[in-house]
């Protein structure tokens, strides 16, 4: 039986995204079979994304109005204006730091479809508290012992023909990692292609995957998978191009730190920033350039160059400085 997806997602920016509540509920809303994906922190930022089996357009529910234990959302679509629908979630059971929450069902009401009841299929309920040591200990214990494998999670970006879900997994004492991408057709909601990624990028909710024109054909139908907040520096990226001849997404042979794409020269440049490697207050920037071989739909490595800069000067790196930055293990940051 064909199974269509309907997604509920709740956003929160926190330092470690393994610290959150994730749930999956399945069932029917009206005449549509649905599957809810939930990401939550109690009483914090509360957003919803979903996709239905009629349009396959990713929609957004705005910040909720809380009345008692209920949450009321207004629905907005990226290609329309005004309120479309309201959804009420009844008595949502957060139950953080428990392997199994108390309620096995999720009840709600849609102004378009009426009452609905969904059954819980998956949950992860780890939430820290900076001040309460007991909560920290409970969260740490659950984090250390929870494991799961290949859970689908919707991504916000989509193309005209496809929408995407990353496959997330978790081992004991480890963060949630991305192990692959499931690509779905917007024509019928069926699985179109699976891409496996052995890099184990960390999971950054609904923006781990983004869409862009990375093969310079003027169409935003290519994929980028990121290992961190994409606005920061030193964020590893992996790229996949949509190959029109095979009608598949292919490995672009392009992986490195955050990239800049030059449409005129057909060149992509990766930038790695290294601090605290020189005696003075300077920053080392290591750039690697790749050229797109259009027929092969792959990038070829060209060269690298290295600069040392401060507020007062810019100069070329010495061989030692260049090698030091090449070898340095850097962490993604939110600083631009």
């Amino acid at each position: 039986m064909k199974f269509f997806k309907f997604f509920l997602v709740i956003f929160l920016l926190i330092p470690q995204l393994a610290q959150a509540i994730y749930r999956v509920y399945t069932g029917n809303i009206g005449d549509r079979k649905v599957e809810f994906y939930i990401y939550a922190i109690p009483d914090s930022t509360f957003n919803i994304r979903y996709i239905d089996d009629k349009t396959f357009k990713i929609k957004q529910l705005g910040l909720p109005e809380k009345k008692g234990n209920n949450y009321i959302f207004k629905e907005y679509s990226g290609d329309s204006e005004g309120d479309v629908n309201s959804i009420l979630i009844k008595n949502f059971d957060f139950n953080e730091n428990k392997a199994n929450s108390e309620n096995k069902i999720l009840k709600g009401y849609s102004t378009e479809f009426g009452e609905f009841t969904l059954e819980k299929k998956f949950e992860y309920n780890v939430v820290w508290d900076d001040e309460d040591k007991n909560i920290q200990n409970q969260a740490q214990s659950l984090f250390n012992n929870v494991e799961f494998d290949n859970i689908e999670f919707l991504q916000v970006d989509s193309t005209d023909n496809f929408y995407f879900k990353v496959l997330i997994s978790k081992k004991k004492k480890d963060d949630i990692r991305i192990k692959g991408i499931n690509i779905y057709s917007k024509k019928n909601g069926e699985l179109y292609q699976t891409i496996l990624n052995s890099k184990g990028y960390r999971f950054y909710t609904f923006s781990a995957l983004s869409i862009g024109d990375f093969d310079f054909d003027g169409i935003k139908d290519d994929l980028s998978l990121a290992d961190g907040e994409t606005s920061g520096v030193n964020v590893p990226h992996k790229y996949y191009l949509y190959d029109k001849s095979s009608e598949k997404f292919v490995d672009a042979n392009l992986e490195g730190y955050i990239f800049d794409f030059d449409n005129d020269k057909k060149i992509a440049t990766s930038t790695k920033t290294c601090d605290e490697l020189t005696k003075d207050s300077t920053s080392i920037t290591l750039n690697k350039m790749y050229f797109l071989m259009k027929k092969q739909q792959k990038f070829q490595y060209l060269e690298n160059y290295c600069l040392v800069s401060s507020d007062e000067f810019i100069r070329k790196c010495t061989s030692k400085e260049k090698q030091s930055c090449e070898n340095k293990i850097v962490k993604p940051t939110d600083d631009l």
Side-chain angles (χ1 to χ4, degrees):
M1 180 183 297
K2 189 179 296 183
F3 190 80
F4 296 104
K5 311 291 184 182
F6 181 99
F7 303 89
L8 171 66
V9 290
I10 306 166
F11 286 88
L12 179 73
L13 297 177
I14 54 178
Q16 297 182 36
L17 292 173
Q19 305 170 11
I21 289 175
Y22 297 88
R23 306 269 178 86
V24 176
Y25 297 86
T26 63
N28 288 80
I29 294 182
D31 60 350
R32 307 179 185 190
K33 200 159 189 176
V34 301
E35 182 173 319
F36 274 38
Y37 286 66
I38 296 179
Y39 168 50
I41 297 294
D43 297 323
S44 295
T45 302
F46 205 141
N47 283 314
I48 297 176
R49 298 285 194 273
Y50 75 88
I51 189 167
D52 63 48
D53 65 347
K54 304 298 183 184
T55 66
F56 297 107
K57 294 179 180 178
I58 299 172
K59 300 178 182 179
Q60 175 181 351
L61 299 184
L63 296 177
E65 175 187 0
K66 187 176 182 181
K67 291 187 176 180
N69 293 325
N70 299 331
Y71 295 86
I72 303 173
F73 298 86
K74 293 291 185 179
E75 177 186 292
Y76 300 90
S77 177
D79 54 4
S80 65
E81 297 181 357
D83 298 344
V84 179
N85 184 26
S86 292
I87 291 181
L88 180 146
I89 304 298
K90 299 180 179 180
N91 299 306
F92 184 73
D93 167 26
F94 287 102
N95 282 132
E96 62 267 24
N97 300 327
K98 293 184 179 181
N100 297 292
S101 56
E102 296 174 1
N103 295 335
K104 295 183 178 181
I105 61 173
L106 181 70
K107 292 186 177 181
Y109 177 84
S110 165
T111 55
E112 185 175 1
F113 299 106
E115 299 279 348
F116 61 86
T117 300
L118 306 179
E119 182 181 358
K120 182 178 62 186
K121 295 297 183 181
F122 169 80
E123 62 183 319
Y124 175 79
N125 306 307
V126 177
V127 177
W128 259 248
D129 188 313
D130 292 336
E131 298 179 356
D132 193 318
K133 293 296 183 181
N134 289 329
I135 293 179
Q136 289 179 25
N137 291 336
Q138 293 170 5
Q140 188 68 58
S141 176
L142 193 60
F143 174 81
N144 288 343
N145 290 285
V146 167
E147 291 184 305
F148 52 82
D149 191 43
N150 287 344
I151 302 298
E152 291 186 320
F153 212 87
L154 178 72
Q155 296 296 284
V156 172
D157 280 359
S158 67
T159 68
D160 291 339
N161 298 313
F162 303 103
Y163 62 94
F164 308 91
K165 292 177 281 182
V166 292
L167 296 170
I168 59 174
S169 297
K170 184 185 181 304
K171 294 182 178 180
K172 292 181 179 180
K173 298 183 180 181
D174 193 13
D175 289 329
I176 300 173
R177 304 280 177 177
I178 297 172
K179 294 300 183 68
I181 305 167
N182 274 350
I183 301 166
Y184 286 85
S185 169
K186 283 187 175 181
K187 293 181 180 179
N188 51 29
E190 294 182 351
L191 180 64
Y192 184 85
Q193 182 182 350
T194 296
I195 297 173
L196 298 181
N197 186 330
S198 61
K199 296 297 181 179
Y201 281 0
R202 290 166 300 164
F203 174 53
Y204 277 76
T205 63
F206 310 99
S207 300
L209 185 151
S210 59
I211 305 301
D213 175 18
F214 306 126
D215 59 1
F216 313 111
D217 65 355
I219 305 173
K220 292 184 177 181
D221 58 358
D222 307 310
L223 305 181
S224 171
L225 187 63
D227 186 18
E229 297 289 347
T230 56
S231 61
V233 299
N234 293 332
V235 179
H237 281 69
K238 176 73 175 176
Y239 290 85
Y240 302 91
L241 307 179
Y242 182 70
D243 180 25
K244 296 180 179 62
S245 60
S246 65
E247 297 185 331
K248 296 288 184 180
F249 290 87
V250 298
D251 190 334
N253 191 39
L254 195 64
E255 182 170 17
Y257 297 99
I258 191 164
F259 278 81
D260 178 69
F261 290 83
D262 188 324
N263 185 69
D264 294 331
K265 297 180 179 179
K266 306 298 185 286
I267 288 175
T269 303
S270 169
T271 300
K272 179 181 182 181
T273 302
C274 303
D275 297 317
E276 301 177 357
L277 289 180
T278 57
K279 294 181 180 180
D280 46 7
S281 299
T282 58
S283 177
I284 297 177
T285 302
L286 180 63
N287 296 281
K288 294 185 177 181
M289 301 174 63
Y290 301 80
F291 176 74
L292 177 65
M293 299 181 294
K294 188 62 179 178
K295 290 184 178 180
Q296 292 82 3
Q297 280 291 88
K298 289 186 181 296
F299 281 84
Q300 180 177 1
Y301 176 71
L302 289 178
E303 61 177 335
N304 61 52
Y305 59 94
C306 184
L307 299 174
V308 177
S309 61
S310 70
D311 292 337
E312 300 177 353
F313 67 86
I314 298 178
R315 63 171 173 81
K316 290 184 178 180
C317 300
T318 65
S319 297
K320 183 178 180 180
E321 289 169 338
K322 184 177 181 180
Q323 191 62 44
S324 295
C325 187
E326 183 77 53
N327 295 335
K328 182 178 174 63
I329 298 175
V330 294
K331 295 182 179 180
T333 72
D334 294 327
D335 300 326
L336 293 175

